[in-house]
């Protein structure tokens, strides 16, 4: 009988009756099991006590009488039953060991050793009789046999006392069990009363509850909660009404979702427009750099920066695709940093780090380059001396699973943000207004907005900074194991080996004109 989904009255009552019967049977079964267990224990104790008593008398009386008849000459050794009696005692001890408790087992082991000693003395008496020892010597052995038999009798008496103590403990357990059983009976009475009351209320609510649920559903829909649904009441007159309400809510939700998708497409188009506005700025500066490098006669640098520039735009365009691989994104950043390293050779060095096995994962393109650009123009250039940028990609635990996220970090040791400026930047990134109201965080806003649009607000951009020490911008995306079908992978090895070397090398000093052009933003 499911809560919130009442069945028909007949089934509800039948279920209640069956439950009451089962509850009433439970103590009876418990009583039978307890009675059988402890009755079996009592029977075993009584049987062991009776057997131990018989064996004790057999050891003290029968064995000694048979041995005395042999010593006194009333019968020959082979005519006596002493060995048969000892075998009976041995078998009895072994049988009691099979069911004895740990404490009584120790007593029986002592009894077994004593019986073995008694058997050895009886065997010694047989050897003396066959060897013609004197009567005095045989009587001496006889006295030893009587002493050992008396000891064995005492051991059996100790066993009997221990078994009686075990019986007393069992009796206390039985009395306690009956007290528990009484408590269970009282609890069952309370349970049966509760079941009866519950059945009464559930039957009376079989009609009222579905009507109340659909009333609440209408309130939730009116309040804007279109994910609300009414449970099937399982009442013939109300089933179709609940189904129609659910269908209506679903259709309204579908219309709203379609409108949201259209709005997101408009915002994505806006982001592409913003992206196109930023690209020419970098294009002009790079061409200027190529010109003054040529004027300075630095042919190798012209070749290097031209190759990096070509590779940079090849990945930027990506045949119109929005998604590329992590490896291509890192190559895109490396190309950009190669260009900037040549332009700002005296103030810039960088390092790109990535965990193995992440290169083939899909990623929304052009996410890292705006962050690196921001680190250069707002961090490195505003400090004295050489600056260092670290771009890292790591596999992390995120989104509720271990290793289910890829963390991207762009960290610089530039001038950093003051607390007031950092708060203003975070506020500008969080705003939902147009980009015309942004002051100087176009790149960061672009990345943050695209992450929010494509990853459904699961991947916010994080900015940590301390003035005078540097800034760290990071985000974590879900790790996708398969690329979207529209992505065409291109090997990220088109840059020659000289690209990475150029990042660490120190070219010849710039001319005065070239230095002035490099400082232009």
């Amino acid at each position: 009988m499911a809560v919130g989904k009442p069945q028909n009255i007949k089934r509800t009552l039948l279920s209640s009756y069956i439950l009451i019967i089962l509850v009433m049977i439970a103590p009876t079964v418990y009583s039978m099991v307890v009675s059988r267990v402890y009755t079996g224990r009592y029977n075993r104790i009584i049987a062991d006590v009776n057997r131990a008593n018989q064996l004790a008398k057999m050891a003290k009386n029968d064995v000694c009488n048979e041995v005395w008849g042999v010593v006194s000459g009333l019968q020959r050794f082979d005519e006596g039953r002493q060995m048969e009696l000892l075998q009976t005692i041995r078998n009895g001890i072994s049988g009691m060991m099979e069911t004895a408790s740990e404490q009584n087992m120790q007593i029986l082991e002592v009894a077994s050793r004593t019986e073995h000693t008694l058997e050895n003395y009886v065997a010694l008496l047989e050897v003396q009789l066959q060897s013609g020892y004197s009567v005095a010597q045989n009587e001496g052995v006889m006295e030893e046999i009587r002493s050992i038999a008396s000891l064995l009798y005492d051991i059996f008496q100790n066993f009997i006392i221990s078994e009686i103590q075990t019986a007393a403990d069992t009796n206390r357990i039985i009395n306690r069990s009956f007290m528990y059983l009484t408590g269970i009976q009282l609890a069952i009475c309370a349970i049966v009363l509760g079941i009866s009351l519950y059945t009464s209320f559930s039957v009376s609510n079989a009609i009222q509850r579905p009507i109340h649920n659909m009333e609440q559903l209408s309130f939730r829909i009116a309040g804007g909660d279109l994910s609300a649904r009414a449970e099937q009441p399982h009442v013939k007159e109300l089933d179709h009404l609940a189904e129609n309400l659910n269908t209506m809510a679903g259709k309204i939700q579908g219309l709203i979702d379609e409108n949201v998708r259209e709005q997101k497409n408009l915002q994505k188009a806006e982001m592409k427009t913003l992206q196109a506005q930023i690209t020419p700025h970098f294009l002009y500066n790079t061409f200027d750099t190529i010109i003054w490098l040529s004027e300075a006669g630095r042919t190798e640098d012209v070749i290097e920066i031209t190759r990096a520039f070509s590779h940079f735009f090849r990945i930027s365009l990506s045949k119109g695709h929005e998604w590329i691989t992590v490896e291509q994104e890192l190559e895109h950043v490396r190309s950009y940093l190669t260009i900037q390293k040549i332009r700002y050779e005296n103030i810039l060095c960088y390092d790109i780090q990535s965990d193995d096995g992440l290169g083939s994962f899909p990623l929304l393109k052009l996410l890292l380059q705006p962050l690196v650009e921001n680190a250069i123009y707002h961090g490195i250039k505003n400090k004295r001396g050489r600056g260092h940028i670290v771009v890292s990609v790591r596999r992390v635990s995120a989104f509720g699973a271990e290793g289910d996220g890829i963390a991207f970090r762009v960290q610089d040791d530039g001038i950093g943000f003051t607390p007031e400026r950092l708060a203003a930047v975070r506020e500008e990134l969080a705003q939902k207004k147009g980009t015309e109201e942004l002051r100087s965080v176009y790149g960061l806003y672009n990345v943050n907005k695209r992450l929010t649009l494509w990853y459904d607000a699961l991947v916010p951009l994080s900015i940590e900074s301390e003035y005078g020490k540097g800034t760290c911008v990071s985000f974590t995306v879900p790790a996708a194991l398969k690329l979207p079908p529209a992505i065409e992978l291109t090997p990220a090895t088109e840059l020659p080996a000289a690209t990475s070397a150029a990042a660490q090398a120190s070219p010849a000093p710039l001319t005065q004109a070239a230095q002035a052009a490099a400082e232009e933003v």
Side-chain angles (χ1 to χ4, degrees):
M1 186 170 54
V3 177
K5 293 184 178 180
Q7 305 294 328
N8 59 68
I9 296 177
K10 180 179 179 181
R11 183 174 299 177
T12 302
L13 292 176
L14 179 60
S15 300
S16 301
Y17 294 153
I18 293 175
L19 184 58
I20 290 173
I21 291 173
L22 292 176
V23 171
M24 296 299 294
I25 289 176
T28 303
V29 173
Y30 173 81
S31 178
M32 292 175 60
V33 171
V34 170
S35 177
R36 183 175 181 83
V37 170
Y38 290 109
T39 298
R41 184 178 298 181
Y42 257 117
N43 291 337
R44 180 195 63 77
I45 292 173
I46 293 173
D48 287 345
V49 169
N50 183 54
R51 181 184 296 181
N53 186 54
Q54 292 177 354
L55 295 178
K57 292 180 179 179
M58 188 179 298
K60 187 174 183 180
N61 298 328
D62 298 345
V63 173
C64 291
N65 291 337
E66 292 294 326
V67 172
W68 172 248
V70 173
V71 172
S72 62
L74 298 178
Q75 58 183 1
R76 294 195 307 274
F77 187 91
D78 56 354
E79 292 178 347
R81 294 187 306 113
Q82 61 276 358
M83 300 307 294
E84 179 182 351
L85 294 173
L86 291 173
Q87 181 64 38
T88 301
I89 294 173
R90 187 184 316 116
N91 294 338
I93 293 174
S94 299
M96 289 187 294
M97 282 183 173
E98 294 177 359
T99 58
S101 62
E102 182 177 356
Q103 178 181 357
N104 291 339
M105 179 66 72
Q106 296 176 356
I107 297 176
L108 292 176
E109 288 175 354
V110 175
S112 178
R113 291 194 297 269
T114 305
E115 184 278 334
H116 183 70
T117 302
L118 179 60
E119 188 174 347
N120 290 338
Y121 272 96
V122 173
L124 176 62
L125 179 62
E126 180 183 10
V127 172
Q128 290 187 178
L129 290 173
Q130 292 176 354
S131 301
Y133 277 61
S134 65
V135 174
Q137 290 175 324
N138 292 336
E139 287 180 350
V141 175
M142 177 63 194
E143 288 300 319
E144 292 294 335
I145 291 174
R146 285 176 176 171
S147 298
I148 295 172
S150 178
L151 176 61
L152 184 58
Y153 175 87
D154 293 337
I155 293 173
F156 279 127
Q157 293 301 315
N158 291 335
F159 175 81
I160 292 172
I161 293 173
S162 179
E163 284 293 283
I164 292 174
Q165 181 61 43
T166 302
D169 295 338
T170 303
N171 183 64
R172 284 194 296 271
I173 294 174
I174 292 175
N175 291 334
R176 192 180 304 117
S177 299
F178 278 115
M179 293 178 62
Y180 291 157
L181 186 60
T182 301
I184 291 174
Q185 291 284 7
L186 294 175
I188 287 175
C189 291
I191 292 173
V192 170
L193 179 60
I195 293 174
S196 301
L197 294 175
Y198 174 79
T199 302
S200 175
F201 285 114
S202 63
V203 170
S204 65
N205 290 335
I207 301 298
Q208 296 177 1
R209 185 182 298 274
I211 295 176
H212 176 73
N213 288 342
M214 284 185 284
E215 182 184 13
Q216 293 299 317
L217 172 65
S218 65
F219 288 148
R220 292 176 64 182
I221 293 176
D225 184 8
L226 298 178
S227 64
R229 295 293 183 271
E231 297 178 351
Q232 285 295 324
H234 300 291
V235 177
K236 183 177 180 180
E237 292 79 4
L238 299 177
D239 280 344
H240 293 298
L241 178 58
E243 184 178 352
N244 292 337
L245 285 174
N246 290 337
T247 302
M248 179 185 68
K251 289 183 177 180
I252 296 175
Q253 183 66 58
L255 292 174
I256 293 178
D257 291 341
E258 180 65 26
N259 185 52
V260 170
R261 282 192 294 271
E262 292 178 358
Q263 292 297 323
K264 284 189 175 182
N265 290 334
L266 291 175
Q267 291 177 328
K268 292 174 185 177
E270 179 186 351
M271 290 302 102
K272 291 184 178 180
T273 302
L274 176 61
Q275 198 174 337
Q277 293 172 350
I278 298 174
T279 302
H281 173 77
F282 173 66
L283 181 66
Y284 302 148
N285 286 339
T286 303
F287 280 140
D288 287 341
T289 302
I290 293 174
I291 291 173
W292 57 254
L293 284 173
S294 298
E295 293 175 348
R298 294 170 56 176
T299 306
E300 292 297 327
D301 288 338
V302 171
I303 295 174
E304 182 69 21
I305 195 172
T306 304
R307 285 177 177 171
F309 196 47
S310 173
H311 197 60
F312 174 83
F313 274 99
R314 185 179 294 113
I315 296 177
S316 296
L317 297 175
S318 301
K319 298 182 180 180
H321 298 315
E322 286 290 338
W323 296 82
I324 59 176
T325 63
V326 171
E327 182 181 8
Q328 290 171 319
E329 181 72 10
L330 292 179
E331 286 298 327
H332 184 257
V333 171
R334 184 176 287 109
S335 300
Y336 178 78
L337 283 170
T338 298
I339 297 170
Q340 299 292 39
K341 170 65 178 176
I342 295 175
R343 293 186 66 222
Y344 302 109
E345 56 183 347
N346 295 326
I347 66 170
L348 176 64
C349 62
Y350 67 88
D351 187 21
I352 298 178
Q353 305 168 354
S354 176
D355 288 345
D356 295 334
L358 298 180
S360 61
F361 283 92
L363 180 69
L364 190 63
K365 72 177 181 180
L366 307 185
L367 293 178
L368 293 179
Q369 184 270 333
L371 306 183
V372 173
E373 181 178 356
N374 185 79
I376 293 174
Y377 290 119
H378 298 286
I380 301 299
K381 287 191 63 178
N382 291 328
K383 65 169 285 186
R384 293 185 178 180
R386 179 180 293 270
H388 186 214
I389 295 177
V390 178
V391 180
S392 63
V393 183
R394 297 285 183 262
R395 192 70 176 263
V396 297
S397 299
F399 308 104
E402 183 176 354
D404 200 31
I406 303 177
F408 297 83
R409 289 167 55 95
V410 176
Q411 188 169 2
D412 66 77
D413 58 357
I415 193 64
F417 293 109
T418 63
E420 296 78 12
R421 178 56 183 154
L422 180 60
V425 169
R426 288 173 175 171
E427 182 179 357
E428 290 180 19
L429 293 182
Q431 72 177 351
K432 299 181 180 179
K433 302 178 182 179
T435 57
E436 65 278 0
E437 299 187 18
L438 299 175
R439 293 189 295 173
S440 59
V441 291
Y442 296 105
L444 296 179
Y445 179 85
N446 181 26
V447 173
N448 186 62
K449 193 67 175 179
R450 294 174 70 219
L451 286 172
T452 303
L453 290 176
W454 285 102
Y455 291 101
D456 295 329
L458 294 176
V459 184
L461 195 64
S462 174
I463 304 177
E464 300 296 333
S465 180
E466 186 175 351
Y467 186 73
K469 293 186 177 181
T471 302
C472 177
V473 183
S474 63
F475 61 89
T476 302
V477 301
L481 299 180
K482 294 183 179 180
L483 295 174
I487 296 179
E488 297 181 7
L489 296 179
T490 56
T493 57
E494 298 182 11
L495 281 178
T499 300
S500 58
Q504 306 300 331
S506 297
L510 296 175
T511 64
Q512 184 175 0
Q515 182 69 33
E519 295 299 326
E520 295 179 0
V521 178

